[in-house]
Amino acid sequence: MKVLKFGGTSVGSAQRMKNVAKLIVGEKNIIVLSAMSGTTNSLVEISDYLYKKNPDGANEVINQLARKYFNHIEELYSTDEYKTKARELVTYHFDHIRSFTKDLFTLFEEKEVLSQGELISTGMMNLYLNEQGVNSVLLPALEYMRTDKNAEPDPVYIKEHLSKLLQQNPEADLYITQGYICRNAYGEVDNLLRGGSDYSASLIGAAINASEIQIWTDIDGMHNNDPRFVEGTSPVRHLNFEEAAELAYFGAKILHPTCILPAKVNNIPVRLLNTMQPDAPGTLISNEMEKGKIKAVAAKDNITAIKIKSGRMLLATGFLRKVFEIFEVYQTPIDMVTTSEVGVSVTIDNCKHLEDIVNDLKKYGTVTVDKDMVIVCVVGDLEWDNIGFEAQIVQAMKDVPVRMISYGGSNYNVSLLIKASDKKRALQALSDHLFNNK
Ligand code: ADP
Ligand code: ASP
Ligand code: MG
């Protein structure tokens, strides 16, 4: 059995839903769907209004969104019977969303609101398949997808409850389920964070020991650079799990960073495919490694660099520990680290406690902060005895000011910290130099 996940754009209109239906019928797989594109953003906007105690603002967005869904229904279904069923489904969910405009709004209600997008898209797809004579069965994610007290997925619970649901529906032609949504350790509705449907797919893949996890989106696989900023990118046909994890973590939006680990641990290949061009080969992510090749570049935004300079650091044991402890106290993960004899530079992407961190660090040295930075990450088989790749990277970046460089933490990436305003030209220069022979 395979797991096939279709993202927001892939189910973003009635026509796209029909295209997805054509791709999924004929094999008994588990199909994971996101909300239709734009829906989760609208649900976030509705929640914002409700946090700000502006129910009129929320109702305006709700009505607009509901209208869109009623239009989709007219286009998607051909019989009155199914149009009526779909209208009932959509009305039920929008009534539920509206019920939160009348009372106190907290994190708990927000999670409920955010979960409605996936509940609607999967309900609509299931009805469409039924109308087409396909015996699809809905597997409610809220009955098997669980996180524990540390907000980490609970693989034992997921496996047990998902297996039970599958056993209860052996006659199904295929299964449809919601990405992104789950229950937390307290049984409340929760989610796996924005973009988390990819994570749902790989957790499900691991739970059923799938033969393959397919992530269907709007592009032909992982490109060798971010196509939103760079011209002349091309698909990478094969990636190792480690390379894919680095790219996802460092900003390749096509894949949610959490998605790789469950697949890697269970050795389940992940294929990235294009719903708009289903015959294109896409990208295969597996344990195989192509030797000695630079594969792709990605960039992670909103990075802050912090430098702590201290005359006392020279030969001082415990200096780094004290510095890192401060970040630990404020629960702020560090991405990059570079050291010299007189100081250390680190980067963070969560600035919630920046002021406190800087205040505490001042005990140990002079602190400088650089905001609006970007980590550019070059990924491939970069073992240290593969000579020449550092020179190629540095040569490509010869006109771009670089604040930090890091290599050696893994065999798979070289990271460079630059100003956000230099991101586009840096990415383009790397593509031109590393991949396009310019
Ligand atoms: P979905 O809604 O299907 O989850 P996403 O928008 O999350 O889709 O991811 C697909 C998008 O990721 C692409 O449209 C593309 O703009 C962007 N993207 C960023 N970096 C890359 C990359 N290296 N390769 C392919 N796509 C990328
Ligand atoms: N619908 C959710 C989001 O937009 C989850 C996902 O699409 O992966 O973030
Ligand atoms: Mg996505």
Side-chain angles (χ1 to χ4, degrees):
M1 200 180 251
K2 293 183 196 140
V3 179
L4 281 66
K5 176 257 167 176
F6 292 86
T9 23
S10 301
V11 292
S13 65
Q15 189 51 50
R16 296 224 164 124
M17 282 205 177
K18 290 182 189 179
N19 294 347
V20 168
K22 280 198 204 113
L23 291 171
I24 60 181
V25 290
E27 261 187 75
K28 191 168 176 169
N29 291 319
I30 299 186
I31 314 302
V32 180
L33 301 184
S34 290
M36 294 177 84
S37 57
T39 299
T40 311
N41 286 345
S42 297
L43 297 172
V44 169
E45 202 184 342
I46 291 163
S47 304
D48 264 359
Y49 277 120
L50 294 177
Y51 273 125
K52 295 190 173 108
K53 300 194 171 41
N54 179 354
D56 292 343
N59 273 318
E60 207 167 298
V61 185
I62 295 171
N63 293 339
Q64 234 172 37
L65 191 63
R67 268 199 300 277
K68 264 205 240 170
Y69 276 93
F70 288 113
N71 288 336
H72 292 319
I73 290 173
E74 293 311 309
E75 209 186 321
L76 184 57
Y77 305 94
S78 43
T79 60
D80 284 339
E81 183 194 349
Y82 276 88
K83 281 184 189 176
T84 306
K85 284 187 186 185
R87 278 189 214 113
E88 279 167 11
L89 170 94
V90 169
T91 304
Y92 170 84
H93 288 287
F94 277 91
D95 283 351
H96 192 52
I97 298 170
R98 281 196 187 90
S99 73
F100 297 109
T101 61
K102 299 183 176 99
D103 220 334
L104 189 71
F105 198 77
T106 68
L107 208 60
F108 173 79
E109 284 78 21
E110 182 188 9
K111 303 266 177 71
E112 276 275 347
V113 168
L114 294 184
S115 70
Q116 300 306 305
E118 272 70 11
L119 291 168
I120 300 175
S121 65
T122 48
M124 281 174 63
M125 178 64 87
N126 191 46
L127 284 177
Y128 177 69
L129 290 167
N130 292 167
E131 189 185 44
Q132 301 297 307
V134 179
N135 183 22
S136 57
V137 166
L138 263 184
L139 304 175
L142 298 180
E143 288 180 23
Y144 68 85
M145 193 54 79
R146 258 283 169 160
T147 52
D148 63 16
K149 287 203 170 95
N150 303 316
E152 293 293 335
D154 179 343
V156 177
Y157 185 101
I158 297 168
K159 190 179 176 127
E160 186 187 326
H161 288 78
L162 180 56
S163 306
K164 208 180 286 170
L165 285 170
L166 291 171
Q167 276 162 22
Q168 284 164 2
N169 295 286
E171 73 299 336
D173 290 337
L174 57 90
Y175 301 97
I176 307 275
T177 192
Q178 300 84 19
Y180 177 59
I181 65 174
C182 64
R183 283 189 194 274
N184 60 28
Y186 312 99
E188 299 157 353
V189 172
D190 210 326
N191 60 63
L192 301 172
L193 305 181
R194 295 301 308 272
S197 293
D198 299 344
Y199 199 16
S200 304
S202 76
L203 291 166
I204 294 167
I208 62 159
N209 199 16
S211 57
E212 188 167 291
I213 297 161
Q214 298 182 349
I215 306 288
W216 289 80
T217 181
D218 57 359
I219 188 164
D220 176 19
M222 178 76 80
H223 278 221
N224 54 9
N225 208 328
D226 194 326
R228 294 169 299 177
F229 301 98
V230 175
E231 280 166 29
T233 62
S234 47
V236 180
R237 294 301 173 208
H238 187 256
L239 286 170
N240 178 275
F241 283 125
E242 308 286 349
E243 294 171 328
E246 300 272 6
L247 287 167
Y249 184 74
F250 286 105
K253 189 187 173 229
I254 186 170
L255 209 54
H256 196 265
T258 49
C259 155
I260 291 299
L261 191 64
K264 182 183 162 210
V265 168
N266 294 281
N267 197 15
I268 303 170
V270 177
R271 212 180 275 278
L272 309 180
L273 292 160
N274 186 356
T275 322
M276 323 298 159
Q277 222 186 309
D279 296 328
T283 300
L284 176 65
I285 305 168
S286 71
N287 264 323
E288 306 276 306
M289 173 62 95
E290 264 177 274
K291 284 280 164 206
K293 255 182 108 172
I294 296 181
K295 289 297 197 48
V297 176
K300 189 171 177 187
D301 300 323
N302 298 319
I303 303 293
T304 299
I306 305 168
K307 177 150 73 183
I308 309 105
K309 244 174 92 178
S310 162
R312 283 173 293 153
M313 184 187 168
L314 188 68
L315 297 181
T317 51
F319 177 80
L320 284 177
R321 178 180 55 74
K322 285 182 206 149
V323 167
F324 288 148
E325 242 168 30
I326 291 171
F327 289 89
E328 194 184 336
V329 167
Y330 293 105
Q331 296 273 297
T332 303
I334 292 171
D335 274 327
M336 262 176 98
V337 186
T338 53
T339 61
S340 83
E341 207 157 71
V342 291
V344 52
S345 276
V346 303
T347 71
I348 57 172
D349 70 349
N350 175 354
C351 285
K352 206 168 141 203
H353 301 292
L354 181 63
E355 221 181 294
D356 294 325
I357 291 172
V358 169
N359 268 334
D360 286 8
L361 286 172
K362 281 181 178 163
K363 280 188 242 159
Y364 303 115
T366 314
V367 182
T368 333
V369 174
D370 292 303
K371 290 189 179 171
D372 299 322
M373 308 294 282
V374 167
I375 296 176
V376 171
C377 177
V378 181
V379 169
D381 172 32
L382 309 179
E383 295 236 26
W384 65 275
D385 51 2
N386 286 343
I387 51 171
F389 62 82
E390 304 92 337
Q392 274 179 283
I393 294 165
V394 170
Q395 177 64 21
M397 297 285 280
K398 68 181 191 315
D399 295 324
V400 181
V402 175
R403 164 77 175 75
M404 288 165 71
I405 301 183
S406 169
Y407 168 72
S410 86
N411 287 333
Y412 311 102
N413 98 61
V414 175
S415 302
L416 305 113
L417 188 73
I418 60 168
K419 281 187 286 193
S421 52
D422 287 328
K423 168 176 163 175
K424 197 167 163 7
R425 71 184 178 112
L427 292 183
Q428 190 69 56
L430 284 163
S431 257
D432 289 348
H433 201 84
L434 300 176
F435 308 125
N436 302 338
N437 288 325
K438 282 195 191 162

